[in-house]
Structures are given as structure tokens and as C-alpha cells.
């Protein structure tokens, strides 16, 4: 038996590195664990020694106190690891494999999984379809911002890298396969991005930057990224995107200056429910601002990909409707323009193998695009604070010294 340290939510605005139990092949009671999952046996799982685990904007929603996350919930759903133990029912994954873990936990057995809808698996969360590691109301599977983590249904869930040495050499890119790269790619694909497309991405955080890089990979002619944060916009420009600074007004006029018309073929919402207004309202939280803006700037017959997170419960919202996830949408405008909308968790397994091949064959440099930076797990509180303050950085935690070296 060995020790285990992890990053835990300690209350609004606060995370700490704490000691937790080494994982076993059984779900035990703990912060956020659904009572119906307590005692659940996991002979189909593996225990990973974490290679990298990333801080995500979705984690920040909880840390800001914008969800019902309980104190001491272990965070982290972006996980890459080395297999150190396998359950008795695991056939095809072996000790020593380096693997990427989709943030969606899925069983591979239910109707939705068999249809490729792995973001809404029916069997892993007793409350509702869909689950994830270290996330509120997602069944209580312990998060991966830790030295060791349990992954269920390993033969189904894990993406094994073909060569260990190559994987470790490219680990800062490959770590993005657990969430933000497939999520950004899903946003671009569901927005209909293809060769010659003009694309607007709302939000220059890591998911927005991943969506922009994905749009380029898909052949977009012009990718425009909008945000209120000039440092993040500079990061978007660093790999060839055009940018719109929303503190200067609505995006339509600035898009017209770039394209000659005030609209785009495809749009991606990489912001979610903590959206703010534009121009003179840029300091005001307006949860529907991005969605309504995208309906205005997307050409008739176009599509919107919405990987940005929207929640059913937001106790920090300013009005009762938003606290229940009810937003004032201009749905009539979207209907009149025959726009298509795709929402929900990205089904990571739909994309991660293909994106792995793009990384391994140098077709994309996703770590560079999102400005990835590795830090020790002990520095996680600093990483959270800097990311929350608007740093144009994707923080990658290194719990076991694979990236920064052994201590």
C-alpha cells in the first residue's frame, strides 16, 4: 500500500492538496459519492499512476462556488496515466501501458454507449445520464488530480498510446486528449466547420483555443476568436487566428472589418453559463449573452457548437431563473435563421484516437496553441488562482514527476 495526495475543493475560492486513500477496486463513501454507488465493485477497472492531470475551466466553476460541490471533493477529470494495477476482468490493458482517460465515464454496454453517445452513459451515474471524474452530481467517481486514480471499464474507456517513449516525449500535447482537444474539436465539428469555412469562437480560454486550433485542422479559411481578455486573445493570434476584443463592443462590427460581412458560417460557444456582456456591459454577468450573440452572427442555415458548460443548478446566479439553468434566449431568431444547435458533453471517444494520430504525426501542436505549462501538484492552488485571474495558460499538474522530473 502506498500513499496518495490529491487536490480537493475546500469551499468557494479555495483548493488544497490533501492526503487521500490509495484507490481500490470498489467505490467507497466520500464527498460527492452517490449513495447508490457506494460499494460498487470495479473488477473491470485499473489503477493509474497519474502522469499528467490538467486544471479545467469546468473545475473553476466549482471552485468559484457556482455549483453544489461538497467540501473535500477531489477534483480533476483530465487524466493521463500509467497502469500500475489491473482488475481481474481486464483483458486488453496491461501494467505499464501509458493511456489517456476520456473525461466521460462510460460503460460500453448501454444503448447510448453502443450508439457512440458516451457523454450520456446510462449506467455510471444513478442520478442521470452522463458522468465524469471529480465532478459534482456525476456519480462520485474520485477525481484524477491525484497521484493515483481508479478508472472503471478500462478495456472500453482507455486509449492506449502505441509507444511509451514517444508518448512521454509528446505528453504535453497528448494530455489534452482527455478533454479540451476533443471538446474543442467537437465544438468545431458540430458547428459544421470544413474546408473554407469562416468561424467565430466565443472565448479564448483553453477550450476556445482548442476549438480554434481544431477549426484550422478541419480546413477553415478564417478563424476569429472573441474574448474580453487581451492576453488570451494574444495567445489566439500566436497561431494564426484573427481576434475580437469584446470590451470594445459587439462582435458583429469587428467581424465585418475582418470578413467584409458581419457574420460567419459557423460559431462555437466555448464560454458557458458564466458569460459576460460585451462593450459597455462587459463587466456584467449575462449567462445568455454568448448564445444570443452567436445567433446574431451565424449566417442563416449555419450551425452553433456549444461545448461551453451550462448547468441545471447555479446557486451563485443573480436571478432565480438562471439558478435553475433557465436563460433568456432569442430562440425565435435562431428558428427564423434555421440555425442548428449542438449542446452537451463531448463524446470524447468519438474523436480521441484520430486526434492522437494527428499529434503523433505532427499535424497539430495543441499544447503550444493553449500555452500549456506543467507545475507540481503542490502548486495546484497557485495554478487555480492564476487561471481564475485570467492567465492565458493551460495548467498541467505533474503529481509523480513524469514531466518535471523526480524529486
Amino acid at each position: 500500500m502506498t500513499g496518495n495526495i490529491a487536490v480537493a475543493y475546500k469551499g468557494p475560492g479555495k483548493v488544497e492538496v490533501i492526503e487521500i486513500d490509495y484507490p481500490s477496486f470498489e467505490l467507497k463513501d466520500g464527498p460527492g459519492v452517490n449513495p447508490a454507488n457506494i460499494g460498487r465493485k470495479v473488477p473491470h477497472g485499473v489503477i493509474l499512476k497519474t502522469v499528467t492531470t490538467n486544471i479545467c475551466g469546468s473545475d473553476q466553476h466549482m471552485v468559484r462556488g457556482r455549483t453544489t460541490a461538497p467540501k473535500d471533493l477531489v477534483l480533476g477529470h483530465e487524466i493521463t496515466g500509467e497502469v500500475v494495477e489491473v482488475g481481474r476482468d481486464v483483458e486488453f490493458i496491461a501494467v505499464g501501458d501509458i493511456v489517456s482517460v476520456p473525461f466521460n465515464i462510460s460503460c460500453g454496454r448501454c444503448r447510448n454507449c453502443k450508439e457512440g453517445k458516451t457523454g450520456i452513459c446510462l449506467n455510471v451515474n444513478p442520478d442521470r445520464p452522463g458522468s465524469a471524474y471529480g465532478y459534482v452530481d456525476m456519480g462520485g467517481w474520485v477525481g484524477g488530480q491525484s497521484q493515483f486514480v481508479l478508472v472503471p471499464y478500462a478495456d472500453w474507456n482507455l486509449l492506449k498510446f502505441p509507444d511509451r517513449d514517444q508518448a512521454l516525449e509528446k505528453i504535453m500535447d497528448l494530455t489534452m486528449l482527455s478533454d479540451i482537444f476533443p471538446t474543442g474539436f467537437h465544438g468545431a465539428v458540430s458547428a459544421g466547420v470544413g474546408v473554407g469555412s469562416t468561424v467565430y469562437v466565443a472565448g479564448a480560454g483553453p477550450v476556445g483555443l482548442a476549438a480554434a486550433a481544431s477549426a484550422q485542422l478541419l480546413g477553415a479559411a478564417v478563424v476569429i476568436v472573441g474574448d474580453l481578455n487581451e492576453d488570451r486573445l494574444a495567445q489566439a493570434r500566436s497561431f494564426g487566428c484573427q481576434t475580437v476584443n469584446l470590451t470594445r463592443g459587439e462582435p458583429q462590427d469587428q467581424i465585418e472589418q475582418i470578413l467584409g460581412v458581419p457574420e460567419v458560417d459557423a460559431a462555437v460557444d466555448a464560454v458557458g453559463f458564466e458569460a459576460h456582456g460585451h462593450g459597455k456591459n462587459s463587466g456584467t454577468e449575462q449567462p445568455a449573452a454568448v448564445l444570443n450573440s452567436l445567433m446574431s452572427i451565424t449566417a442563416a442555415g449555419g450551425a452553433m457548437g456549444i461545448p461551453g458548460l451550462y448547468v441545471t443548478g447555479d446557486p451563485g446566479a443573480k436571478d432565480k431563473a438562471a439558478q435553475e439553468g433557465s436563460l433568456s434566449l432569442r430562440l425565435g431568431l435562431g428558428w427564423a435563421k434555421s440555425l442548428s444547435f449542438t449542446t452537451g458533453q463531448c463524446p470524447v471517444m468519438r474523436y480521441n484516437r484520430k486526434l492522437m494520430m494527428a499529434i503523433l504525426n505532427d499535424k497539430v501542436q495543441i499544447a503550444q496553441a493553449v500555452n500549456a505549462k506543467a507545475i507540481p501538484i503542490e502548486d495546484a492552488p497557485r495554478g487555480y488562482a492564476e487561471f481564475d485571474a485570467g492567465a492565458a495558460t493551460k495548467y498541467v499538474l505533474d503529481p509523480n514527476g513524469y514531466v518535471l522530473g523526480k524529486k
Side-chain angles (χ1 to χ4, degrees):
M1 184 67 66
T2 185
N4 195 11
I5 64 171
V7 181
Y9 170 67
K10 303 295 284 189
K14 188 175 182 181
V15 299
E16 288 182 6
V17 178
I18 65 171
E19 293 186 3
I20 64 171
D21 290 339
Y22 183 84
S24 67
F25 292 100
E26 177 183 331
L27 265 184
K28 299 179 179 179
D29 195 8
V33 178
N34 190 297
N37 262 349
I38 296 172
R40 184 171 181 162
K41 307 296 184 182
V42 191
H44 43 69
V46 300
I47 294 173
L48 299 183
K49 185 177 184 180
T50 304
V51 175
T52 52
T53 177
N54 315 326
I55 296 174
C56 180
S58 298
D59 299 320
Q60 287 284 18
H61 294 309
M62 290 188 291
V63 173
R64 291 181 188 130
R66 297 299 294 267
T67 71
T68 56
K71 182 180 178 182
D72 290 325
L73 180 76
V74 174
L75 301 167
H77 55 270
E78 300 189 13
I79 308 163
T80 306
E82 179 178 3
V83 178
V84 292
E85 293 187 49
V86 298
R88 70 167 188 263
D89 294 343
V90 176
E91 288 189 79
F92 308 114
I93 296 293
V95 171
D97 288 344
I98 305 293
V99 295
S100 178
V101 184
F103 79 89
N104 330 100
I105 303 171
S106 56
C107 71
R109 295 151 168 79
C110 71
R111 173 181 176 176
N112 284 350
C113 285
K114 290 179 179 180
E115 293 177 354
K117 302 172 185 175
T118 55
I120 44 174
C121 173
L122 300 173
N123 288 332
V124 289
N125 183 356
D127 280 342
R128 63 188 185 201
S131 189
Y133 304 88
Y135 213 85
V136 61
D137 297 331
M138 286 292 188
W141 299 89
V142 178
Q145 288 178 11
S146 54
Q147 290 179 304
F148 300 91
V149 63
L150 171 69
V151 174
Y153 303 103
D155 284 325
W156 166 254
N157 279 305
L158 294 179
L159 174 64
K160 177 183 173 181
F161 299 136
D163 181 88
R164 177 189 177 90
D165 291 339
Q166 184 187 33
L168 293 176
E169 180 183 345
K170 292 181 174 289
I171 197 62
M172 291 296 283
D173 291 293
L174 294 172
T175 190
M176 305 304 163
L177 291 173
S178 58
D179 182 356
I180 67 161
F181 194 11
T183 293
F185 194 82
H186 179 60
V189 168
S190 56
V193 176
V195 175
S197 296
T198 57
V199 184
Y200 178 75
V201 178
V207 169
L209 296 172
S214 297
Q216 293 175 336
L217 190 62
L218 288 163
V222 182
V223 180
I224 305 169
V225 179
D227 204 289
L228 304 164
N229 182 319
E230 184 54 40
D231 289 342
R232 290 182 172 182
L233 291 174
Q235 182 61 30
R237 290 191 294 271
S238 74
F239 60 97
C241 299
Q242 303 282 342
T243 59
V244 165
N245 189 323
L246 296 170
T247 64
R248 300 170 187 165
E250 298 293 329
Q252 291 94 321
D253 294 340
Q254 297 178 67
I255 289 172
E256 186 170 17
Q257 292 174 9
I258 296 168
L259 298 177
V261 292
E263 61 184 17
V264 293
D265 301 321
V268 179
D269 173 4
V271 178
F273 73 102
E274 288 192 74
H276 285 69
H278 306 150
K280 64 182 180 180
N281 296 315
S282 60
T284 304
E285 186 169 304
Q286 298 179 15
V290 170
L291 292 172
N292 287 328
S293 174
L294 295 191
M295 281 190 274
S296 296
I297 66 175
T298 304
M304 294 165 47
I306 309 173
L309 176 67
Y310 289 87
V311 294
T312 55
D314 176 12
K318 290 183 171 60
D319 62 75
K320 289 184 178 180
Q323 288 173 5
E324 298 177 350
S326 297
L327 309 182
S328 298
L329 295 178
R330 294 191 66 192
L331 188 59
L333 175 61
W335 189 93
K337 295 176 73 173
S338 296
L339 300 179
S340 299
F341 306 77
T342 301
T343 66
Q345 288 187 31
C346 164
V348 170
M349 293 174 68
R350 189 178 300 173
Y351 308 109
N352 62 351
R353 183 172 296 277
K354 294 177 181 179
L355 296 177
M356 175 189 74
M357 294 303 294
I359 289 170
L360 295 179
N361 289 282
D362 298 319
K363 299 301 181 185
V364 63
Q365 287 75 44
I366 189 65
Q368 180 178 322
V370 303
N371 193 29
K373 178 182 179 181
I375 61 174
I377 193 170
E378 292 83 1
D379 286 352
R382 174 177 63 84
Y384 270 95
E386 292 179 1
F387 186 39
D388 191 48
T393 305
K394 176 67 173 178
Y395 287 97
V396 175
L397 303 182
D398 179 20
N400 290 298
Y402 284 87
V403 181
L404 298 171
K406 302 291 184 182
K407 296 177 183 176

Short mmCIF file of all heavy atoms in Angstrom, two decimals, residues 67-88:
data_model
loop_
_atom_site.label_atom_id
_atom_site.label_comp_id
_atom_site.label_asym_id
_atom_site.label_seq_id
_atom_site.Cartn_x
_atom_site.Cartn_y
_atom_site.Cartn_z
N THR A 67 -21.54 25.91 -8.02
CA THR A 67 -22.25 24.64 -8.07
C THR A 67 -22.53 24.18 -6.65
O THR A 67 -22.17 24.87 -5.68
CB THR A 67 -21.45 23.55 -8.81
OG1 THR A 67 -20.34 23.16 -8.00
CG2 THR A 67 -20.94 24.04 -10.16
N THR A 68 -23.13 23.01 -6.51
CA THR A 68 -23.40 22.45 -5.19
C THR A 68 -22.31 21.46 -4.78
O THR A 68 -22.55 20.56 -3.97
CB THR A 68 -24.76 21.75 -5.18
OG1 THR A 68 -24.78 20.75 -6.22
CG2 THR A 68 -25.88 22.74 -5.43
N ALA A 69 -21.10 21.61 -5.31
CA ALA A 69 -19.99 20.71 -4.98
C ALA A 69 -19.74 20.70 -3.47
O ALA A 69 -19.67 21.76 -2.83
CB ALA A 69 -18.72 21.12 -5.71
N PRO A 70 -19.59 19.51 -2.86
CA PRO A 70 -19.34 19.45 -1.41
C PRO A 70 -17.88 19.70 -1.08
O PRO A 70 -16.97 19.46 -1.90
CB PRO A 70 -19.73 18.01 -1.07
CG PRO A 70 -19.42 17.24 -2.31
CD PRO A 70 -19.75 18.17 -3.45
N LYS A 71 -17.64 20.16 0.11
CA LYS A 71 -16.27 20.35 0.61
C LYS A 71 -15.53 19.02 0.59
O LYS A 71 -16.10 17.96 0.86
CB LYS A 71 -16.32 20.92 2.02
CG LYS A 71 -14.96 21.21 2.64
CD LYS A 71 -15.12 21.76 4.04
CE LYS A 71 -13.77 22.00 4.69
NZ LYS A 71 -13.91 22.51 6.09
N ASP A 72 -14.27 19.08 0.21
CA ASP A 72 -13.35 17.94 0.15
C ASP A 72 -13.55 17.06 -1.08
O ASP A 72 -12.93 15.99 -1.19
CB ASP A 72 -13.39 17.08 1.42
CG ASP A 72 -12.78 17.78 2.62
OD1 ASP A 72 -11.79 18.53 2.42
OD2 ASP A 72 -13.28 17.61 3.74
N LEU A 73 -14.39 17.50 -2.03
CA LEU A 73 -14.49 16.79 -3.29
C LEU A 73 -13.13 16.82 -3.99
O LEU A 73 -12.54 17.89 -4.19
CB LEU A 73 -15.53 17.44 -4.19
CG LEU A 73 -15.75 16.80 -5.56
CD1 LEU A 73 -16.55 15.52 -5.43
CD2 LEU A 73 -16.46 17.77 -6.51
N VAL A 74 -12.60 15.65 -4.35
CA VAL A 74 -11.34 15.58 -5.08
C VAL A 74 -11.61 15.94 -6.54
O VAL A 74 -12.48 15.35 -7.19
CB VAL A 74 -10.70 14.19 -4.96
CG1 VAL A 74 -9.46 14.09 -5.85
CG2 VAL A 74 -10.33 13.92 -3.51
N LEU A 75 -10.86 16.90 -7.04
CA LEU A 75 -11.10 17.47 -8.37
C LEU A 75 -10.35 16.69 -9.45
O LEU A 75 -9.47 15.89 -9.16
CB LEU A 75 -10.67 18.93 -8.38
CG LEU A 75 -11.39 19.85 -7.37
CD1 LEU A 75 -10.66 21.18 -7.27
CD2 LEU A 75 -12.84 20.05 -7.76
N GLY A 76 -10.69 16.98 -10.69
CA GLY A 76 -9.87 16.54 -11.80
C GLY A 76 -10.49 15.49 -12.69
O GLY A 76 -10.69 14.35 -12.27
N HIS A 77 -10.79 15.87 -13.94
CA HIS A 77 -11.35 14.93 -14.91
C HIS A 77 -10.49 14.81 -16.17
O HIS A 77 -10.87 14.12 -17.10
CB HIS A 77 -12.78 15.33 -15.29
CG HIS A 77 -12.89 16.75 -15.80
ND1 HIS A 77 -13.11 17.81 -14.95
CD2 HIS A 77 -12.80 17.26 -17.04
CE1 HIS A 77 -13.16 18.93 -15.66
NE2 HIS A 77 -12.95 18.62 -16.93
N GLU A 78 -9.37 15.50 -16.21
CA GLU A 78 -8.46 15.41 -17.36
C GLU A 78 -7.23 14.61 -16.92
O GLU A 78 -6.36 15.12 -16.23
CB GLU A 78 -8.06 16.81 -17.84
CG GLU A 78 -9.27 17.65 -18.27
CD GLU A 78 -8.88 18.95 -18.95
OE1 GLU A 78 -7.69 19.12 -19.32
OE2 GLU A 78 -9.76 19.81 -19.14
N ILE A 79 -7.19 13.34 -17.33
CA ILE A 79 -6.24 12.39 -16.74
C ILE A 79 -5.49 11.63 -17.83
O ILE A 79 -6.09 11.09 -18.76
CB ILE A 79 -6.98 11.36 -15.85
CG1 ILE A 79 -7.90 12.05 -14.83
CG2 ILE A 79 -5.99 10.44 -15.15
CD1 ILE A 79 -8.93 11.12 -14.22
N THR A 80 -4.18 11.56 -17.67
CA THR A 80 -3.32 10.67 -18.45
C THR A 80 -2.47 9.91 -17.45
O THR A 80 -1.97 10.50 -16.49
CB THR A 80 -2.43 11.47 -19.42
OG1 THR A 80 -3.25 12.31 -20.22
CG2 THR A 80 -1.63 10.53 -20.31
N GLY A 81 -2.31 8.60 -17.63
CA GLY A 81 -1.61 7.85 -16.60
C GLY A 81 -0.93 6.59 -17.07
O GLY A 81 -1.06 6.18 -18.23
N GLU A 82 -0.17 6.01 -16.16
CA GLU A 82 0.47 4.71 -16.38
C GLU A 82 -0.26 3.66 -15.54
O GLU A 82 -0.49 3.86 -14.35
CB GLU A 82 1.94 4.76 -15.97
CG GLU A 82 2.65 3.43 -16.15
CD GLU A 82 4.13 3.47 -15.81
OE1 GLU A 82 4.61 4.54 -15.36
OE2 GLU A 82 4.80 2.43 -15.99
N VAL A 83 -0.63 2.56 -16.17
CA VAL A 83 -1.34 1.50 -15.47
C VAL A 83 -0.40 0.81 -14.49
O VAL A 83 0.68 0.35 -14.87
CB VAL A 83 -1.91 0.47 -16.48
CG1 VAL A 83 -2.60 -0.67 -15.74
CG2 VAL A 83 -2.86 1.15 -17.46
N VAL A 84 -0.81 0.76 -13.20
CA VAL A 84 0.00 0.08 -12.19
C VAL A 84 -0.71 -1.14 -11.59
O VAL A 84 -0.05 -2.00 -11.01
CB VAL A 84 0.44 1.05 -11.07
CG1 VAL A 84 1.43 2.07 -11.61
CG2 VAL A 84 -0.75 1.73 -10.41
N GLU A 85 -2.03 -1.22 -11.72
CA GLU A 85 -2.78 -2.39 -11.29
C GLU A 85 -3.96 -2.59 -12.23
O GLU A 85 -4.56 -1.61 -12.69
CB GLU A 85 -3.32 -2.23 -9.85
CG GLU A 85 -2.28 -2.19 -8.76
CD GLU A 85 -2.92 -2.20 -7.37
OE1 GLU A 85 -3.80 -3.07 -7.14
OE2 GLU A 85 -2.53 -1.35 -6.55
N VAL A 86 -4.30 -3.87 -12.49
CA VAL A 86 -5.46 -4.16 -13.33
C VAL A 86 -6.44 -5.04 -12.55
O VAL A 86 -6.03 -5.92 -11.79
CB VAL A 86 -5.07 -4.85 -14.66
CG1 VAL A 86 -4.17 -3.95 -15.48
CG2 VAL A 86 -4.38 -6.18 -14.39
N GLY A 87 -7.73 -4.79 -12.75
CA GLY A 87 -8.75 -5.63 -12.13
C GLY A 87 -8.81 -6.99 -12.80
O GLY A 87 -8.32 -7.20 -13.91
N ARG A 88 -9.48 -7.91 -12.13
CA ARG A 88 -9.47 -9.30 -12.59
C ARG A 88 -10.17 -9.49 -13.94
O ARG A 88 -9.89 -10.45 -14.66
CB ARG A 88 -10.13 -10.19 -11.55
CG ARG A 88 -11.62 -10.02 -11.40
CD ARG A 88 -12.27 -11.14 -10.59
NE ARG A 88 -13.72 -11.01 -10.65
CZ ARG A 88 -14.47 -10.42 -9.73
NH1 ARG A 88 -13.89 -9.89 -8.66
NH2 ARG A 88 -15.79 -10.34 -9.87
#
